[in-house]
Amino acid sequence: MIRLALRNLVQNKTRLLVSVGGVGLALTLVFFFDAVFTGAAGRLTLYIDRSGADVWVSQEGVRTMHMSASSLPASVTGEVAAVPGVEEAIPILYSTDMIQAKDSEHVAYVFGLPRDATFGGPWKIVDGAARAGPGEVIIDHSIAASAGLRVGDRVTVLGQELEIAGLTSGTSSLVNSVAFVTMDDFARARGQNQVISFVLVKVAADESPSGVAARIGQNVDGVTVQTSQQFAHEERKLVKDMSTDIINIMNTAGFLTGLAVVALTIYIATISRRKEYGVLKAMGARNGALYRVVVIQALVSVALGLFTGLGITLLIAALAPRISESLVLTVSLSSLLRVTVVSAVIAGVAAALPASQLARLEPVAIIRRG
Amino acid sequence: MAAMAGSRHDARALSALTGSWALAWRNLLQDRIRFAMSVLGIALAVMLILFLFGLNAGIYRGVAAYLNNAPGSVIVMPQGVKSSFAGSGQLLPPETAGTVTGKLGDRAGVTPVLTLNAVPELHGRKENIRLVGYDPALGGGPWKLSDGREPAADNEIVLDRVLADRHNFKVGDSLDVQGLQLTVVGLSTETSSFTGSIAFARKALVESLVLAPGGASFLLITPGPGSNAGDIINELRTVPGTNVLLKQEVISNDKKTLARSINQVIYLMVTAAFIVGALVVGMVIYTATIERRSEYGVIKAIGARSGVLYRVVAAQALVAAGLGVLVGVGLAFLMGQVVATLRPQFLVDIERSAIAYTVAAGFIMALLGGLAPARALAGLAPADVFRR
């Protein structure tokens, strides 16, 4: 039966190619959207992961950085630094802003760092200085490349014209990139000298981040304290919560389209061999055996479509960074499992209609019709 | 004579044309289930394209919702800030509102607004709220309340109705925003979008959260009778540390900022849906053509030119695509309604231009899908068909 099903499928190679392509593209839609959000979530926590901080202190109730604002009195840094187990505490300013260059604008997370900060700065410099001085900014090299900028050129950030002192790499995502300025330049633009956004904490070698975080929470009022892992987790949760609905909508649309394509393929493949099925029935083949042929055809088509869809998505994921470093696609295992399960369901549903046609098949009538 | 010959030629052409359509129609209807499934396949691809365009337009409409409904036609932003999205790190100092009011006198209304993005976790789900701080006496608050009233005290908030419904908040309930317990006193409509929702509070409350007494994110300027936006912009250009723009320019900049993030994704998905649709048309027409290959061979053998056969294939593709497009447009509106009911934060705004693009895309799909079958017919040798 498997051989018969495979022969039925490959009998018309163009039709098989078209159907596998159709299913593959429909499933690409499903993979793609998920991959975009998973990729973006990975990039979103990049600064948190690479800042070198073990613990993050923010305004009470602020648990995320993306789409959030945290305002703390500058005096909090001293209070945090005084907590036992804190090796170093660094205040930073943070905001979403635009890098304006020539005729283009680019959204960026802008960080203002003290000049003597030992951590919290850029982690991968591809050109120029590793620290921004007064009147200087460090931006991502992909933004610089797309705007035709080099080290030494001037851009407007936080309403001030600053000179590009260095270029970082791998900080840009679909939504934004990361830029660094001095804390003084940031505070001047903000117009608030005594306000900071976060305190980054490095804990002593013999302390655990969670233990020190708990101690800071007990000793400092009006703050939310999280380890870097907790903070990154909250960031990822924000993206997940924001994207779940839209991903579900797109998945439904993609699955429905895929279902229609598979159902059409299997239906056409079955009906065009109706005569042969009639002969099989006349020779004593039972409906169950014929159903199996149809279901195998559906499963093989969907499996090939699944590989095609996955292949196309992985290809786009591999090519996308070459076209735009900002477009990071990551196919997650959960996405792969979900699409595989739903694809199997699609195959089953798609086989239902041709199977019911076979059940009604009258062998004699078919043979007589020729 | 020439006229008669011309009319005979026209009649033959007309007859060939109507014959092509009739043959195409019969070919398609030969297997009604296959025809229905092919129309459905095309319709789903069309629906997906139109829905994506609608979702895109809805996102843009949601982004512009506040400024479209806020008072004024001119905006005073901090220096270098062009969009109300970005520039949250910069604030107008307290004296700017006074300077602007002093310059304009009673020729224009000045509405200071301070915004803050907050992400409270409600029932285990993070919700993005853009908290708009305003002075109820000067405007800039909710434009449509479905329940309750505007905030009268510094511990009160107006929530978006969709957000409130999702978390079962009612007027009188309380909510924690960045460590402050706020009482919900009103529910606003038209304030939710895919990216989050808008909430409203008195400006003093937002100032206390941002630690910026008297500060503002921007000033909305409403020219009075006899004043115009252009003159006001020229007059305010001398105010230090500001960037004065038309409100429509800021809305346009907000949309551009968003476009940089989402357009690549939307257009990649539209392309994939377009290719799926073309493949569906191609598969159906190809099968319908190959199945009737011997009939086409007979038609060729009795003298029909390839052009006639191409017309039959094209007519089949156009009929399938035409019906698919019609059903697809209907399904897109239906899906928009379903999404609006189940997930009201998603605005699906299907514009006429999007329908026009999608219909055009549907017919281009049909023509592309008809290419392979047409090539199969071109290579058809009548004698071979009979021999087989």
Side-chain angles (χ1 to χ4, degrees):
Chain A
M1 283 302 162
I2 291 176
R3 266 176 50 198
L4 179 60
L6 291 178
R7 275 214 305 273
N8 258 4
L9 274 178
V10 298
Q11 184 211 9
N12 188 327
K13 293 190 176 62
T14 308
R15 189 171 61 207
L16 178 66
L17 203 66
V18 167
S19 73
V20 168
V23 178
L25 279 168
L27 295 181
T28 300
L29 290 175
V30 178
F31 276 126
F32 182 72
F33 222 72
D34 209 307
V36 166
F37 277 99
T38 310
R43 277 283 165 103
L44 210 60
T45 61
L46 213 57
Y47 181 72
I48 301 170
D49 298 337
R50 301 291 188 92
S51 67
D54 300 313
V55 173
W56 283 69
V57 181
S58 53
Q59 184 177 5
E60 186 175 351
V62 177
R63 297 190 167 277
T64 49
M65 198 160 70
H66 182 66
M67 299 182 109
S68 313
S70 171
S71 300
L72 291 166
S75 56
V76 166
T77 309
E79 294 176 46
V80 171
V83 173
V86 172
E87 187 180 296
E88 196 172 352
I90 290 177
I92 62 162
L93 278 165
Y94 152 78
S95 162
T96 305
D97 201 81
M98 304 294 275
I99 297 173
Q100 297 167 29
K102 296 180 181 169
D103 294 329
S104 61
E105 292 184 332
H106 309 268
V107 181
Y109 285 169
V110 182
F111 293 93
L113 295 170
R115 290 224 60 201
D116 56 352
T118 53
F119 59 99
W123 52 93
K124 190 176 178 187
I125 291 287
V126 292
D127 195 9
R131 284 281 183 276
E136 292 179 344
V137 64
I138 291 173
I139 66 171
D140 192 278
H141 84 104
S142 66
I143 304 297
S146 70
L149 296 164
R150 286 184 297 186
V151 170
D153 288 342
R154 299 185 81 78
V155 289
T156 301
V157 183
L158 296 166
Q160 305 172 85
E161 201 174 272
L162 304 173
E163 185 180 319
I164 300 172
L167 300 176
T168 61
S169 168
T171 73
S172 66
S173 73
L174 196 61
V175 188
N176 65 339
S177 66
V178 173
F180 299 89
V181 298
T182 66
M183 196 151 180
D184 291 342
D185 283 341
F186 199 129
R188 196 177 310 115
R190 194 179 166 102
Q192 293 170 289
N193 280 324
Q194 293 307 311
V195 177
I196 59 167
S197 302
F198 299 96
V199 180
L200 308 188
V201 176
K202 210 178 242 312
V203 304
D206 55 343
E207 295 278 357
S208 75
S210 55
V212 175
R215 222 173 288 148
I216 295 170
Q218 286 158 8
N219 288 285
V220 184
D221 289 333
V223 296
T224 289
V225 191
Q226 299 173 99
T227 63
S228 287
Q229 281 76 17
Q230 287 169 331
F231 198 38
H233 169 77
E234 295 286 327
E235 266 315 78
R236 284 192 290 272
K237 186 171 184 315
L238 170 64
V239 179
K240 186 169 173 284
D241 288 351
M242 277 184 67
S243 60
T244 300
D245 286 336
I246 185 80
I247 285 178
N248 285 343
I249 291 171
M250 296 322 302
N251 282 357
T252 308
F255 282 138
L256 280 175
T257 311
L259 177 63
V261 174
V262 184
L264 187 62
T265 311
I266 305 306
Y267 178 78
I268 289 172
T270 309
I271 295 307
S272 62
R273 309 221 104 198
R274 196 167 44 175
K275 210 162 72 177
E276 286 87 334
Y277 283 119
V279 172
L280 281 175
K281 257 195 157 178
M283 288 164 61
R286 293 196 171 178
N287 279 338
L290 302 184
Y291 291 167
R292 277 202 295 280
V293 175
V294 175
V295 170
I296 290 167
Q297 285 183 63
L299 281 172
V300 172
S301 297
V302 170
L304 290 173
L306 180 69
F307 286 126
T308 306
L310 183 62
I312 294 172
T313 311
L314 290 175
L315 188 68
I316 296 174
L319 293 177
R322 295 183 188 189
I323 300 160
S324 161
E325 205 180 279
S326 316
L327 192 58
V328 183
L329 280 83
T330 309
V331 179
S332 64
L333 188 64
S334 65
S335 162
L336 182 60
L337 287 174
R338 192 172 56 244
V339 178
T340 305
V341 170
V342 178
S343 299
V345 175
I346 285 178
V349 175
L353 185 65
S356 73
Q357 294 269 318
L358 287 184
R360 289 203 300 270
L361 204 63
E362 285 294 337
V364 181
I366 292 288
I367 294 166
R368 199 178 298 140
R369 263 188 254 156
Chain B
M1 280 298 277
M4 275 181 69
S7 85
R8 269 203 303 272
H9 178 77
D10 288 349
R12 268 204 309 272
L14 186 67
S15 158
L17 198 63
T18 49
S20 304
W21 282 100
L23 185 55
W25 186 243
R26 276 207 306 275
N27 259 4
L28 284 172
L29 284 186
Q30 190 202 6
D31 185 334
R32 281 163 204 230
I33 294 177
R34 184 180 65 198
F35 181 49
M37 287 168 83
S38 66
V39 168
L40 185 66
I42 298 162
L44 282 167
V46 166
M47 177 202 77
L48 194 56
I49 292 174
L50 198 50
F51 177 74
L52 284 166
F53 280 137
L55 200 60
N56 207 19
I59 291 171
Y60 285 122
R61 189 152 67 107
V63 162
Y66 178 70
L67 286 184
N68 270 334
N69 289 286
S73 55
V74 173
I75 300 191
V76 180
M77 313 281 276
Q79 186 182 333
V81 178
K82 295 178 182 172
S83 153
S84 72
F85 260 16
S88 58
Q90 286 168 269
L91 298 175
L92 290 169
E95 60 273 18
T96 304
T99 308
V100 169
T101 307
K103 267 185 171 285
L104 297 176
D106 56 4
R107 285 176 294 128
V110 179
T111 307
V113 172
L114 179 61
T115 64
L116 164 77
N117 276 339
V119 186
E121 188 158 325
L122 307 173
H123 301 109
R125 180 188 164 115
K126 291 197 182 295
E127 296 286 1
N128 179 40
I129 295 177
R130 189 184 186 202
L131 186 59
V132 173
Y134 73 106
D135 180 344
L138 300 173
W143 52 95
K144 206 182 259 184
L145 286 175
S146 66
D147 198 6
R149 57 168 173 81
E150 292 193 45
D154 290 347
N155 64 344
E156 295 180 344
I157 189 168
V158 168
L159 275 190
D160 168 63
R161 189 183 58 80
V162 173
L163 178 74
D165 286 349
R166 199 186 305 148
H167 295 285
N168 208 21
F169 280 117
K170 293 186 177 56
V171 169
D173 289 347
S174 64
L175 163 81
D176 185 303
V177 176
Q178 301 201 184
L180 294 180
Q181 278 298 315
L182 306 177
T183 305
V184 179
V185 294
L187 301 177
S188 65
T189 56
E190 300 176 0
T191 43
S192 67
S193 75
F194 156 60
T195 51
S197 62
I198 304 172
F200 300 88
R202 288 174 69 92
K203 188 163 169 281
L205 167 78
V206 184
E207 287 173 12
S208 71
L209 287 170
V210 181
L211 305 181
S217 301
F218 49 83
L219 308 175
L220 297 161
I221 312 292
T222 310
S227 301
N228 70 64
D231 291 344
I232 285 176
I233 290 175
N234 284 333
E235 203 169 339
L236 295 180
R237 285 224 164 100
T238 54
V239 179
T242 63
N243 187 25
V244 189
L245 298 158
L246 281 172
K247 189 168 83 172
Q248 285 309 319
E249 284 180 79
V250 177
I251 292 172
S252 163
N253 291 339
D254 284 353
K255 288 182 178 178
K256 275 188 214 159
T257 305
L258 187 70
R260 284 187 204 103
S261 304
I262 63 168
N263 275 9
Q264 305 177 61
V265 177
I266 295 280
Y267 288 118
L268 264 170
M269 295 194 68
V270 164
T271 307
F274 177 82
I275 298 172
V276 170
L279 285 175
V280 169
V281 180
M283 181 163 61
V284 170
I285 308 303
Y286 181 80
T287 312
T289 307
I290 295 303
E291 261 184 7
R292 314 216 104 197
R293 196 169 46 176
S294 54
E295 284 91 331
Y296 284 119
V298 171
I299 294 172
K300 254 194 161 179
I302 60 175
R305 292 189 177 180
S306 288
V308 176
L309 303 185
Y310 291 164
R311 277 202 294 275
V312 175
V313 171
Q316 285 182 66
L318 288 173
V319 167
L323 284 171
V325 165
L326 266 179
V327 176
V329 171
L331 283 177
F333 276 100
L334 184 69
M335 186 159 175
Q337 284 297 315
V338 170
V339 169
T341 308
L342 297 177
R343 294 284 182 271
Q345 71 270 33
F346 290 101
L347 294 172
V348 183
D349 196 359
I350 298 176
E351 295 167 339
R352 282 183 192 169
S353 57
I355 297 176
Y357 290 139
T358 310
V359 168
F363 284 104
I364 295 170
M365 274 180 212
L367 292 176
L368 290 177
L371 280 179
R375 281 190 57 191
L377 282 186
L380 196 67
D384 284 350
V385 170
F386 287 123
R387 207 172 292 139
R388 272 185 238 167

